[in-house]
Amino acid sequence: METLLIGAQIGLLYGPLGLGIYLAISVLSLPDLTLEGSFGVGAATGAATAVAGFDPVTAMLAGMAVGACAGLITAVLHTRLRMNVLLTGILMTSAAWSVSIAIMGTGNVSLVRIDTLFTWVRGFGVSQQNATIIVAGGVSLLLAGLLAAYLHTSSGLAMRATGLNIQTARSFGIRTERYQIAGLAMANALAAASGVLVAHSQGFMDVSIQGGIIVVGLAALIVGMTILPSEKIIPGIIAVLVGVVVYRIVIAFCLRAGIPPANLKLLTTLIVLAFIAIRMHGGGLYRIREWRQRRRQHIQFLEENRVVKLI
Amino acid sequence: MSSSLSEQPATPRGALVTVRGAEKQFPALGGREMITALDGLDITISPGSFVALIGSNGAGKSTLLSVLMGAQFLDEGAIEIDGEAVTDQPSWQRSDKVAMVRQNPENNVLGGLTIEENFALAVMGPRRGLRLRRYPRAEIRANAAAALAGFGMGLEDRLDESSATLSGGQRQAIAVAMAAVRKPRLLLLDEHTAALDPKRARIVGEATTEIARQHGMTTIMVTHDLAHAMHQTDRVLMMHRGRVVLDLSGPEKDGTGVSDLAGIFERVVGEALPDRTLLAVS
Ligand SMILES: Nc1ncnc2c1ncn2[C@@H]1O[C@H](COP(=O)(O)OP(=O)(O)OP(=O)(O)O)[C@@H](O)[C@H]1O
Ligand SMILES: [Mg+2]
């Protein structure tokens, strides 16, 4: 039970990041790695504004705004300079590291004795762990609700169309480049919200927290889509939130079982690979009876495989 | 079909579509050579007419329709639709005037959305109605059901299903129905019945003609079915190597039989007709 709570506690902090990944990858079909950088600059902004004496909600909104700007830059580079999104994201994430240091004026800041949403909830006599679950869960659910509501409007429908087939969407009168720009800004604002949550909950901010964080979001998406496969919006959003919590619970169990924390990244990769395998092959990976069919499916995959040019 | 959607203004005088000196080339052989798809093409189409566009494979028919839709842009030349110069206008801006049913069914209907959502976009997009509220569901559903009923494929009862599960022919029927509820000034059909079985092709073909005539939509229909081209339309244009090589209308068209047309086609193209065309003639 304790392990489940630890999993939920940390997982929910990454809920908004999962939502951002869902929006960028599942809805817009844009593999935007800028989310990792936005997580960092969001956390840096959230920390710097909190230290400067702003209230936690303002700090959160400021972090999200800076994240949205990062997404905006990526989207404009993609739509104006026609740069590949993947490549742009890698470059932006690298730049974000320096931007985070510039925002904070230093590589790390301490947020001890600074008011955050977490300390505010603890003021009601709630334990540290429950406070984290309440705040992170509340923020994740609020943002998930807003995202789901938006995607059900006509404008949100147009954004989904943009991610499905640009040519068809445009012939329906949809100005696809605008939806890509708005969508990436929203996705990066979500990732930045996660950054603020993580920085505020752990009581300090170090630029290195952004390193490799995109994998957490991807894991959330893949685990979620495996548990709850659906093309619909609300199941998709629930899936990604469930995914991030399940993923952290698995990690928590592994740590409890005595796996050293240094192996965490290897562990994450293995978890993601395991879920991808389950997703692609269903339960029985090596049942002899279906060998012929699997072989056919594999050849089909090779037939349909396509090369993607990065530059 | 409900008429509450986008009422059209009275038909203006003069041409609905004018294409002047249209040139379009594509790089081939890794960019070392250029293929000419449109070669100084001139076309004028009057409002309300139903035009068949025929020609061999690679004649430039799809390219011409793409250029009219705004999915591709000319190297040289000018296009005017409904009195507006649209040569450099992106397709999303033309969507209130022009609707297109493409050759490939995958590109006509969005697979990840339900049929209802596809209709919602087809109606709300050109209306500039993509706002932060939900689309008028009852109205969209009523329109979609009415438009789909004409095809007799039972699609009107499947509005909530994901369109990813539809067959190519079903997608084409939906595409025509979506174009119909938009009531565009110009309807572009690129072999829209080629993916359908013969019976269904006839039903969809006839339903399309009826919809277009009923709403007075100017229609350009690409087809390889010469009999369909002769019998259902007001005018037949034959393209070859990016030019219009034959323009039949009025008494001249009435005096030409399908076999005469097939003869002209064979002479122009200088090669045997594809089997499908011959079948249609016999
Ligand atoms: N995107 C493209 N890239 C390169 N070449 C193209 C492209 N689109 C068309 N072409 C070339 O332009 C010419 C005209 O093609 P188009 O698709 O307009 O022919 P079509 O008349 O529609 O033929 P079909 O009856 O086979 O559909 C062809 O020679 C084709 O090779
Ligand atoms: Mg074609």
Side-chain angles (χ1 to χ4, degrees), chain A residues 150 152-158 160-161 164-165 167-177 179 231-232, chain B residues 69 71 90-92 95 102 106-108 110 112-113 117 121 125-126 129-135 162 178 182:
Chain A
Y150 171 69
H152 278 93
T153 64
S154 340
S155 170
L157 194 57
R160 292 165 66 195
L164 290 168
N165 187 326
Q167 233 190 17
T168 311
R170 287 179 79 80
S171 67
F172 285 162
I174 296 167
R175 202 169 177 181
T176 49
E177 72 277 17
Y179 285 95
E231 276 192 342
K232 294 212 184 307
Chain B
M69 181 67 234
S91 61
W92 64 266
S95 63
R102 287 170 221 270
E106 307 273 310
N107 293 334
N108 290 323
L110 294 164
L113 304 181
E117 287 168 334
L121 284 171
L130 300 170
R131 303 276 157 69
L132 284 179
R133 53 183 127 81
R134 199 146 192 211
Y135 54 84
S162 163
M178 286 200 295
R182 285 162 65 173

Side-chain angles (χ1 to χ4, degrees), chain B residues 41-56:
Chain B
L41 185 91
D42 291 311
I43 291 182
T44 308
I45 289 169
S46 48
S49 57
F50 198 114
V51 181
L53 188 59
I54 59 173
S56 57

Side-chain angles (χ1 to χ4, degrees), chain B residues 22-62:
Chain B
E23 306 249 358
K24 178 75 184 169
Q25 292 194 320
F26 290 107
L29 293 170
R32 273 177 287 131
E33 237 175 77
M34 299 298 274
I35 288 183
T36 304
L38 298 178
D39 185 9
L41 185 91
D42 291 311
I43 291 182
T44 308
I45 289 169
S46 48
S49 57
F50 198 114
V51 181
L53 188 59
I54 59 173
S56 57
N57 294 125
K61 307 180 296 292
S62 295

